[in-house]
Amino acid sequence: MSQGPPESSLEAMAQSEKTDIIPGTDIIFADRGDTENEGPDDVVLIPQPTSSPDDPLNWSTTWKAIVIVNQFIFVFVSIMTPMAISPMTLIFEAEFQRTLPEVNMLFGAAAITLGYANFIIVPAANLIGRRPVVLVCGIVCILANVWQGLVTSYPSFLGARVISGLGAAANESIMPMVVADLLFLHQRGSSMALYFWAYFLGLFIGPIISGAIASQISWRWFFWVCTILQGASFLFLLVAHPETKYDRPPPKAPVSNAPTIMDVQVPDPTLGKHEDGLVSGSSSEAHIRPPPQSPPQHTAITASQHSTNGRPSRAQFSLLPLRKSLRFGHGYDHDPPLNVTAVLVRDIISPIKILFCYPIVLWASLSMGFAANSLLALNLTQAQVFGAPPYLFNPDQIGYTNFAFVAGAAVALGTAGPLSDRISLRGARKNGGILEAEMRLPALIPYICANLVGMVIAAVGYQRAWPWEAIVIAGYSLVGLQCVGIPAVAIAYAVDSYKALPGEIMIAATIVKNTFGFGMIFFFNDWAARSGYIPPVMLLMALTCHFSLLGLVVFLPWGKKFRRWTKDSKLHSL
């Protein structure tokens, strides 16, 4: 009689947890009774791994690092070609006898394709796997680079840019999906920062390389160099990038028929021995119930109990992975047959649905989009500013200004992910071991400040012809810092809230980012020439800071309410 908690206490606990445990709210520490003394090894693993050694969550640290580095290289190389032509703007104007807006269309054609091609790429990655999709996209990038190196007319160049964007579109979505496949919830902040660093590093380094090659050799040789790099990346992917898509059905032995993703035992700190109830930590509804006498309940695996000595199977290296062998881990029942049409419809509709119906995803998409387009605002005006008096930079000198973006982004790589992970885990400890998705949002504050200061320096410096050192070293560095930091935190928050939808979230964010950026090429340079640089550049600063701060003001106190509104969506079970 005295072994368990009173029935009234258990019912009260059940009611409390049923209210609070919703998607984006997770029990992250195993011992909720002594959270102050818990270290990283006490973290409950989300999602829970299977017992199969070929489950990507069980792969060794070496294999996980190989896959992430492979993705890093692919993202860097594939984004560099379509987005690195700004230093060659004056060359293309003379070569093809086109105006500045027409040359900017070469950038815009690739950018808009980058966004919308993911309506094809993400469904394909969910149906046939990440590996075959990224390999096909790598081949498309190689062929598009060859075409760009051979073009002789503007229409042909425009067509090549569209195909280039189609192949490179995989870098907008596949790496976040691979990160979610390989890593647990508490590890993803750093890897998402690494993804955005790879992405923006390609944007930053690409113009440096293109400007130098165009000035010293020929603009065509830039595309031949990109062909060589893309070919090397393809070989790396072919031999050392196994399939990471791995579907995990619910375990056999839950004691309730209610849908759950993770069952976590919650010890009563007043008892000498564990008489535990079960909490569903990542489903749309929580269920706590007294422990049955039989069968025994599944205990949540923590970091200290998890073995990472697995490795990919042979099937995971095939060009068309045998998805059936990857779909069921040991100890799991078979799922119903996959309905291809349903998956396609779901993957095409769900990005639109979550963008317009899920406020958190809409906010994260806008925050990422405006932060990234703050960088685009400076890229579009680089040649316009530094190619004219008093600077008179040549193309390679214009490209070298991007080193400041690289420096800022490198600082963000070392701070954004680790900072947001540390802040969220500290908040979970103070919250009795319960992690709320909103706990990582305060990490946005330094990057919002960086955007504010960096864009003001760039705008005023452009307008008043400040020394290039002030504009580049101070302004560009801070803009590079924020364009990695803000997206890394905002997208990590959205993925924390809707863990089953990393690819769809990236489609939504990319659509917002690239559609707005595509529109900018039609008016931004003309607006700057007509009204000066302060109004257009400061507009991007205002949009970025406003929407990022809006997330702090709205979602820190009420983010859980927004998540509760969408907790019953079928998208959580994808």
Side-chain angles (χ1 to χ4, degrees), residues 420-442:
S420 67
D421 285 343
R422 193 177 308 118
I423 288 174
S424 60
L425 289 177
R426 183 178 302 161
R429 288 190 178 95
K430 294 179 179 179
N431 195 37
I434 303 295
L435 176 66
E436 303 287 358
E438 291 75 24
M439 288 176 178
R440 72 170 68 245
L441 289 178

Side-chain angles (χ1 to χ4, degrees), residues 211-293:
I213 293 176
S215 291
Q216 303 301 324
I217 308 175
S218 164
W219 65 266
R220 296 181 186 277
W221 261 101
F222 168 68
F223 295 108
W224 296 125
V225 169
C226 289
T227 302
I228 295 168
L229 294 175
Q230 196 74 60
S233 171
F234 177 80
L235 292 177
F236 295 155
L237 292 169
L238 186 64
V239 302
H241 192 292
E243 180 57 60
T244 61
K245 173 70 174 171
Y246 196 95
D247 298 324
R248 297 176 186 84
K252 281 184 182 179
V255 290
S256 166
N257 291 328
T260 62
I261 294 178
M262 182 191 71
D263 285 336
V264 179
Q265 289 194 344
V266 185
D268 186 336
T270 63
L271 301 177
K273 55 190 282 188
H274 288 182
E275 297 285 345
D276 303 326
L278 283 179
V279 179
S280 170
S282 294
S283 64
S284 61
E285 188 173 358
H287 302 272
I288 296 187
R289 46 205 179 265
Q293 297 302 315

Side-chain angles (χ1 to χ4, degrees), residues 15-255:
Q15 183 62 37
S16 171
E17 294 292 347
K18 186 171 182 178
T19 301
D20 290 334
I21 304 297
I22 60 175
T25 299
D26 296 285
I27 299 172
I28 198 70
F29 290 113
D31 183 1
R32 296 172 65 195
D34 187 22
T35 58
E36 291 298 323
N37 298 321
E38 288 170 330
D41 288 345
D42 299 304
V43 173
V44 172
L45 298 181
I46 303 169
Q48 288 282 282
T50 68
S51 59
S52 175
D54 61 5
D55 183 342
L57 292 174
N58 295 331
W59 290 353
S60 66
T61 302
T62 300
W63 267 111
K64 291 183 178 183
I66 289 172
V67 173
I68 289 175
V69 168
N70 249 318
Q71 278 291 321
F72 181 96
I73 295 171
F74 174 77
V75 169
F76 169 76
V77 174
S78 61
I79 197 63
M80 181 173 68
T81 311
M83 299 289 108
I85 65 171
S86 57
M88 300 186 288
T89 299
L90 301 177
I91 296 175
F92 292 149
E93 287 182 35
E95 178 93 10
F96 299 106
Q97 297 297 305
R98 298 287 169 167
T99 64
L100 179 59
E102 287 176 315
V103 171
N104 282 342
M105 177 59 78
L106 296 172
F107 173 91
I112 199 69
T113 310
L114 275 167
Y116 287 90
N118 279 288
F119 279 111
I120 301 171
I121 288 172
V122 169
N126 284 333
L127 279 173
I128 63 175
R130 318 323 188 195
R131 174 176 164 84
V133 169
V134 78
L135 288 175
V136 169
C137 287
I139 293 173
V140 172
C141 287
I142 293 171
L143 297 176
N145 290 343
V146 172
W147 185 358
Q148 290 174 94
L150 296 173
V151 294
T152 57
S153 68
Y154 178 81
S156 176
F157 202 176
L158 200 61
R161 299 291 293 171
V162 170
I163 301 302
S164 177
L166 180 64
N171 67 51
E172 301 274 6
S173 56
I174 297 296
M175 186 169 177
M177 297 170 78
V178 169
V179 166
D181 293 338
L182 288 175
L183 301 178
F184 299 102
L185 178 66
H186 67 284
Q187 301 170 329
R188 293 177 186 169
S190 297
S191 292
M192 287 303 295
L194 183 65
Y195 160 68
F196 284 110
W197 193 63
Y199 184 91
F200 287 108
L201 190 66
L203 295 182
F204 303 152
I205 295 292
I208 297 172
I209 297 173
S210 68
I213 293 176
S215 291
Q216 303 301 324
I217 308 175
S218 164
W219 65 266
R220 296 181 186 277
W221 261 101
F222 168 68
F223 295 108
W224 296 125
V225 169
C226 289
T227 302
I228 295 168
L229 294 175
Q230 196 74 60
S233 171
F234 177 80
L235 292 177
F236 295 155
L237 292 169
L238 186 64
V239 302
H241 192 292
E243 180 57 60
T244 61
K245 173 70 174 171
Y246 196 95
D247 298 324
R248 297 176 186 84
K252 281 184 182 179
V255 290

